[in-house]
Structures are given as structure tokens and as C-alpha cells.
Amino acid sequence: MSRVYITTPLYYVNADPHLGSAYTMIITDTLARYYRAQGRETFYLTGTDEHGDKIAQAATEAGMETKAFTDKVSAAFREAWDRCGFSYDYFIRTTDASHIRYVQEILTRVHQAGDIYFDRYGGLYCFGCERFYTPKELRNGKCPDHLTEPKLIEEENYFFRMSKYQERLLRHIKDHPDFVRPEGFRNEVAAMLSEPVGDLCISRPKSRLTWGIEIPFDPRYVTYVWFDALINYVSALKTKGEEFFQKFWPEAEHFIGKDIVKPHGVFWPTMLIAAGLPLYKHLNVHGFWTREGQKMSKSLGNIISPLEMKEKIGMDAFRYFVLRESVFGQDADFREENLTARYNADLANNLGNLVSRVLAMQQRYFDGVVQPLAGPWAAEDRQLKATFVQAESEVEKQMAELQFHRALEAIWAALDATNRYVVETAPYTLIKDSGKAARVGEILHHLLEVVRMLSIHLAPFLPETSVKLRELLNISAGAPLDAPWGSFFTPGHKINPPVALFPRIETEKKPAPA
Ligand code: MSP
């Protein structure tokens, strides 16, 4: 059976969940649900990144002991993701004893192999990023992320011989052009590897940071937070046993935002080679969200909270918007008016109205009882079914390319075709002709099949809606949901009356011109 291992970055516990982190969760959750539905054995990992200066400082600011602070924020993340309904299989914390042990095991192994050495080093250090910068990487002498001047620090530390594996990694990228995708980010990593990458400082002296994993061969030091956190992708599998690791690791699909390409595209693969582990399969990089064209930040007070969105428009509508409005790998902008427009057009009008119209007719004309498909199918009925078969293969093609917006477009194109079918077959007119009741029953039967197909095809994208559609169709848990079109509803099957799936969002009407 084919397998897939999906990972998200581990979220720093110094901030609350926001649109950026929720976006990675939404795409990975959608994929995990899609693969599971295809029968692929799926393992989906997320968690929290809890060591380092930034976290220690945030705990101090919160007036809490560091571990108690990370326990609290990590639990808050987990609770938020649970309330959002994300279907991760395992939640790892970098403070888990099993993770700490494994990081130390890797450090020992790489040290013994001679790829970690001790050296005195002077360099420009950004405390915000918790790393050294080369003068070339700075912008006007400042850290490009924090816009602060790094401090000149000179100290003795441990270094990982990253440079030793640079060539090998570059070769791997050339031989596996989709190792990092989309292409623009592959080129970015290849460009990084075309210049000397140097060695990586992987320790911090306890004299300035104690909140980290102790270096197993020198208790005066803790591990650099990235060297610690990246290893989670392997340590999580190892907690499930060696066989589990062997099964899933070759199928690893990492999902990250574009700001953390270097640690994932350069540090991590060279670490894997040095540790004698196979490389991950793909690094999938997504773009950044802005809000109304502006960067989101606490200080600007414009952060979008996934839980607030859930309260306001429902989780499925939020998922639909971010998946439909963005192109994987590119930046996207969150605009309130676009959200309302998409919600009303695609969810309330198109999907919602279609379903309630079909269910209402079924109630009104046949008391909810599904009518048989007696004779040969009319051409338009065959066409309707073909539209959904085609939509399914289009979704499959687009999902393989991580083109979520196109997959949704394909489903909505089938919805448009269904609306046209309703207009063309006009069951609401035919029913007035007493001799046509059987045909109306057939038309509605086909339309109920559409609703069933929607409950299948929308499940990865809009999981709550999918469940509601099944409830509306009165489908019981064990029913053979993937039965062929036309042979699912048994004689006498009764469906439920409609409910408003996506009530319209009323927008302020502009005054009519005088
Ligand atoms: N802790 C590291 C990851 C370690 S993985 C071994 C980290 N954490 S983070 O909390 O700062 O970021 C988590 C994810 O959120 C990253 O993929 C980052 O790119 C993403 N985003 C943060 N802000 C974002 C937007 N505004 N838009 C889209 N994604 C963004 O980095």
C-alpha cells in the first residue's frame, strides 16, 4: 500500500496560532484527508518548537518558569488545532524526553564520526534569529528579519561540518529536480549551495542560554535550537519504533513557509547525510499571507486568528477561502471583501442553494423518499455523471501538483454544470404535468447523487460540510459511500429536509445613485 508522511513546521511557543500557522495546517490537513480517502497509509505530524532564547525570553516576560510556560502555550496550540478540527496523527514537543534523547543520540553519532568540531569563533549574532550572520547576508548592516544590528560575539562553540556535504546535496537537487518545490524555491536552495555555505554553529554556551538540549559530550553547552527542532521529523517516527520509521521516512513530505527554506533546504539535508539517514522526499514551500496588503504583526494588531474566523464564518468557509484564494508557493493577501464575495458567491449561492433546492424539491414532491431510476438514462443524466467523473480526475491531477485552488475550481465547475442541469431539466415545471412525476423522480435521484458525490469530493477540503451533507442524505456510517452512481439509494430511502449550510453574509448596500 502506498504511504505518505506529512509534516508541518513546529510552531514556536512565543506566539498564538495565526493565519500563517493555520494556513500550513489547512493545506496539510486537506492533503492528509485526501490521501487517507484514497486509501494511502498516512502519518501526519505537527507540534511545537520550545527551546532557545526567544522562548526563554517570552517566559520571562510572562513571569513564568520556562517549562511551565511552554507547557501552557504548547497545550494552547494543541487545543486550538483540535478546535479547528485538524486531523494530525501525532503532536510532538521538542521538550519531550524521547525527542531530547534522540537529538543527543544524533549529536553523539555525528560527533563520533568527526563531523562536529570545537572552535573559537567571532561573528555577528542576531539574538532575534538566534544565529550568526555573514556580512553578506545582512541588509544595510542589519538583520533582514528583525531590522536590528547584530552584535559581535566571540566565543568557543561546536560546529557541524555542513560544508563537507554541500556538493553532495547540490548533486541530489540536480538529480531530483522536485526535491524542493515549487521550482522557484528549488532555485533558491541551489543558489545557496552554489556559494560556500560554511559550517554551522550548533551549540550555545550555558553562560548565556540554558534553555536547550544539553550537548551530550560537553555539559557546558546546549544545542542550537534549529539543530534540535529539525530532528523532530525523525524523532517523532522513532517514538513509534524502528519499523514505523523505516516505513514512513522515505515518504516524508515537509511543508513549510518560505522564511524557513534555508534550515530545511540546507541545514536539515546535510544533517541527515552526516547522521547516515536517507533524505526526505520533498520540501514543499508555501508563500506568505498579508492582510489587506500589509504584513501581519502583533504590533499592528492585524493578526487573523483561526479560532475567531471559525466563530465568525465557520471553519469550512475559512478553509475554503484560504485554499481557493491562494496559489501554493505564492504570496496571498487576505481581504475581508474578497472573503465575503467568495463566501456569498461560491458557498452560499452556488453550493448552499443547490443543495437546499434539491432537498426541498425532494421533500415537497416525494415526501423525501428517493425515487427509482427505472428506464434508460437520458443524455443529460449521463452527461451530469460524466461531469463528476471528470471533476474527480481533475482533482486528482491538481492535488498531485498541490494546486488546491485548481482542485476546488474543478469541483465548482461541476457544481455549475449541475445548476445548468437543474435549469435545463426544470423539475419544478415538469412536476406540474401529472404524467411526468416519474421523470421528476429520476432527475432528483441524479441530483441527490450529485450531493453524495459532493460529500465525497469536498471531504478533504470542507470536512464539516461533507458530514452535514451525509446527514442530510440520511446516510448511515457504514453505508457503501463509493457505490456506483445510481445504485446507492435503496428503495424507500428517505432523505432529510434542507438546512441553510452557508447563510448569506449581508453586506452593507451602497446607496443607489441619485
Ligand atoms: N519553529 C520554527 C520552525 C521549526 S520546524 C523544525 C518556526 N516557527 S514559526 O512559528 O515561526 O513559524 C511556523 C510556520 O508559520 C512557518 O512555516 C512560517 O513560514 C509560517 N508563517 C508565519 N507567518 C506566516 C504568514 N504570514 N504567512 C504564511 N505563513 C507564515 O519558524
Side-chain angles (χ1 to χ4, degrees), residues 320 337-354 412 415-416 419 502-505:
Y320 179 78
E337 63 185 74
N338 292 357
L339 172 70
T340 311
R342 276 221 180 276
Y343 178 100
N344 280 342
D346 298 359
L347 298 176
N349 285 359
N350 205 341
L351 173 63
N353 275 357
L354 173 78
W412 258 257
L415 268 170
D416 287 339
N419 277 315
F502 296 100
R504 258 188 90 78
I505 300 176

Side-chain angles (χ1 to χ4, degrees), residues 8-12 14 18-21 23-24 49 77 226 229-233 255-260 264 286-290 296:
T8 74
L10 299 193
Y11 303 104
Y12 283 131
N14 62 349
H18 54 79
L19 173 60
S21 37
Y23 176 61
T24 326
D49 189 352
F77 258 97
W226 273 104
L230 287 162
I231 293 176
N232 92 87
Y233 299 130
F255 284 82
I256 60 159
K258 66 177 186 179
D259 57 329
I260 51 177
H264 284 83
H286 67 71
F288 254 48
W289 281 90
T290 48
M296 282 181 283

Side-chain angles (χ1 to χ4, degrees), residues 11 15-27 77 81 84 86 286-297 302-309 313 315 317-323 325-326 331-336 339:
Y11 303 104
D16 296 326
H18 54 79
L19 173 60
S21 37
Y23 176 61
T24 326
M25 293 305 289
I26 291 173
I27 50 183
F77 258 97
W81 294 160
C84 289
F86 298 135
H286 67 71
F288 254 48
W289 281 90
T290 48
R291 180 174 189 173
E292 318 283 338
Q294 267 192 318
K295 189 177 166 169
M296 282 181 283
S297 75
N302 63 351
I303 283 176
I304 290 167
S305 144
L307 288 175
E308 275 171 28
M309 290 310 300
I313 55 163
M315 199 59 206
F318 179 50
R319 288 170 74 106
Y320 179 78
F321 179 71
V322 300
L323 292 170
E325 192 74 5
S326 61
D331 291 344
D333 190 30
F334 191 97
R335 288 190 180 269
E336 203 75 32
L339 172 70

Side-chain angles (χ1 to χ4, degrees), residues 35 181-182 328 395-404:
Y35 292 143
R181 56 188 184 183
F328 185 82
V395 168
E396 194 173 330
K397 183 175 141 219
Q398 300 298 346
M399 290 299 270
E401 302 285 320
L402 306 175
Q403 298 296 298
F404 305 97

Side-chain angles (χ1 to χ4, degrees), residues 252-505:
E253 296 283 346
H254 294 320
F255 284 82
I256 60 159
K258 66 177 186 179
D259 57 329
I260 51 177
V261 167
K262 189 170 184 183
H264 284 83
V266 178
F267 301 176
W268 180 222
T270 51
M271 284 164 65
L272 284 166
I273 303 173
L277 294 167
L279 293 178
Y280 53 77
K281 194 165 186 181
H282 293 125
L283 179 62
N284 305 288
V285 186
H286 67 71
F288 254 48
W289 281 90
T290 48
R291 180 174 189 173
E292 318 283 338
Q294 267 192 318
K295 189 177 166 169
M296 282 181 283
S297 75
K298 252 191 203 165
S299 51
L300 285 173
N302 63 351
I303 283 176
I304 290 167
S305 144
L307 288 175
E308 275 171 28
M309 290 310 300
K310 176 183 155 82
E311 282 300 304
K312 208 169 143 189
I313 55 163
M315 199 59 206
D316 275 9
F318 179 50
R319 288 170 74 106
Y320 179 78
F321 179 71
V322 300
L323 292 170
R324 180 68 187 77
E325 192 74 5
S326 61
V327 177
F328 185 82
Q330 295 179 19
D331 291 344
D333 190 30
F334 191 97
R335 288 190 180 269
E336 203 75 32
E337 63 185 74
N338 292 357
L339 172 70
T340 311
R342 276 221 180 276
Y343 178 100
N344 280 342
D346 298 359
L347 298 176
N349 285 359
N350 205 341
L351 173 63
N353 275 357
L354 173 78
V355 172
S356 56
R357 213 170 164 196
V358 170
L359 299 193
M361 285 192 279
Q362 191 66 43
Q363 288 302 323
R364 203 172 314 132
Y365 308 153
F366 303 105
D367 201 20
V369 178
V370 183
Q371 302 300 295
L373 290 179
W377 293 12
E380 60 267 32
D381 302 347
R382 287 199 301 274
Q383 181 56 41
L384 183 68
K385 180 188 165 189
T387 305
F388 277 84
V389 172
Q390 198 198 331
E392 185 177 355
S393 66
E394 184 65 17
V395 168
E396 194 173 330
K397 183 175 141 219
Q398 300 298 346
M399 290 299 270
E401 302 285 320
L402 306 175
Q403 298 296 298
F404 305 97
H405 68 300
R406 293 241 183 272
L408 287 171
E409 249 170 33
I411 299 175
W412 258 257
L415 268 170
D416 287 339
T418 309
N419 277 315
R420 283 195 299 276
Y421 173 87
V422 175
V423 173
E424 279 158 22
T425 55
Y428 35 81
T429 311
L430 273 190
I431 196 72
K432 292 176 192 150
D433 182 339
S434 59
K436 297 282 169 57
R439 175 64 189 142
V440 172
E442 284 177 0
I443 293 169
L444 288 178
H445 191 134
H446 286 295
L447 287 167
L448 291 172
E449 284 292 34
V450 165
V451 179
R452 175 169 71 99
M453 290 303 142
L454 288 172
S455 86
I456 297 172
H457 299 321
L458 290 177
F461 307 95
L462 311 180
E464 288 171 7
T465 306
S466 161
V467 169
K468 277 189 207 156
L469 293 178
R470 284 169 206 181
E471 281 165 8
L472 287 170
L473 292 178
N474 194 16
I475 296 178
S476 54
L481 202 63
D482 55 353
W485 184 297
S487 57
F488 176 77
F489 294 105
T490 46
H493 185 96
K494 198 168 172 177
I495 57 132
N496 289 315
V499 293
L501 288 174
F502 296 100
R504 258 188 90 78
I505 300 176

Side-chain angles (χ1 to χ4, degrees), residues 62-314:
M64 288 179 76
E65 187 269 320
T66 318
K67 180 62 167 61
F69 173 78
T70 62
D71 285 349
K72 183 174 151 240
V73 185
S74 176
F77 258 97
R78 197 172 174 155
E79 198 197 317
W81 294 160
D82 288 345
R83 284 178 55 202
C84 289
F86 298 135
S87 61
Y88 60 85
D89 294 302
Y90 192 72
F91 190 99
I92 190 171
R93 300 181 55 188
T94 54
T95 50
D96 288 343
S98 52
H99 171 76
I100 294 173
R101 263 197 314 275
Y102 191 69
V103 169
Q104 292 183 325
E105 190 184 315
I106 294 285
L107 281 163
T108 306
R109 197 190 302 168
V110 178
H111 185 230
Q112 281 171 355
D115 282 342
I116 290 177
Y117 62 91
F118 194 60
D119 200 8
R120 169 163 282 279
Y121 180 78
L124 296 164
Y125 192 80
C126 171
F127 280 89
C129 300
E130 300 186 46
R131 75 168 179 101
F132 286 100
Y133 271 92
T134 61
K136 234 177 123 183
E137 287 177 303
L138 300 174
R139 209 176 292 151
N140 299 326
K142 292 183 175 169
C143 159
D145 267 356
H146 294 88
L147 307 176
T148 50
E149 269 181 33
K151 287 224 162 60
L152 188 65
I153 287 190
E154 195 177 316
E155 63 191 17
E156 287 182 314
N157 266 312
Y158 285 92
F159 290 83
F160 163 53
R161 278 188 218 285
M162 192 157 74
S163 54
K164 182 173 163 190
Y165 300 105
Q166 165 164 8
E167 271 307 310
R168 199 147 134 208
L169 177 58
L170 190 57
R171 231 179 308 130
H172 183 83
I173 290 178
K174 290 201 168 134
D175 294 345
H176 302 82
D178 63 350
F179 181 62
V180 179
R181 56 188 184 183
E183 199 186 353
F185 296 108
R186 193 262 324 269
N187 297 341
E188 200 177 291
V189 174
M192 288 173 195
L193 292 169
S194 311
E195 310 228 341
V197 291
D199 289 342
L200 184 66
C201 178
I202 57 154
S203 66
R204 300 292 181 260
K206 280 191 185 165
S207 54
R208 69 177 167 91
L209 177 70
T210 53
W211 183 241
I213 299 180
E214 192 173 279
I215 296 277
F217 40 85
D218 192 338
R220 296 171 305 157
Y221 289 88
V222 294
T223 311
Y224 170 43
V225 63
W226 273 104
F227 198 94
D228 152 3
L230 287 162
I231 293 176
N232 92 87
Y233 299 130
V234 170
S235 74
L237 295 180
K238 292 274 180 176
T239 61
K240 304 257 167 195
E242 189 55 28
E243 201 185 317
F244 198 84
F245 167 76
Q246 296 291 346
K247 237 169 61 166
F248 280 102
W249 179 244
E251 304 304 331
E253 296 283 346
H254 294 320
F255 284 82
I256 60 159
K258 66 177 186 179
D259 57 329
I260 51 177
V261 167
K262 189 170 184 183
H264 284 83
V266 178
F267 301 176
W268 180 222
T270 51
M271 284 164 65
L272 284 166
I273 303 173
L277 294 167
L279 293 178
Y280 53 77
K281 194 165 186 181
H282 293 125
L283 179 62
N284 305 288
V285 186
H286 67 71
F288 254 48
W289 281 90
T290 48
R291 180 174 189 173
E292 318 283 338
Q294 267 192 318
K295 189 177 166 169
M296 282 181 283
S297 75
K298 252 191 203 165
S299 51
L300 285 173
N302 63 351
I303 283 176
I304 290 167
S305 144
L307 288 175
E308 275 171 28
M309 290 310 300
K310 176 183 155 82
E311 282 300 304
K312 208 169 143 189
I313 55 163

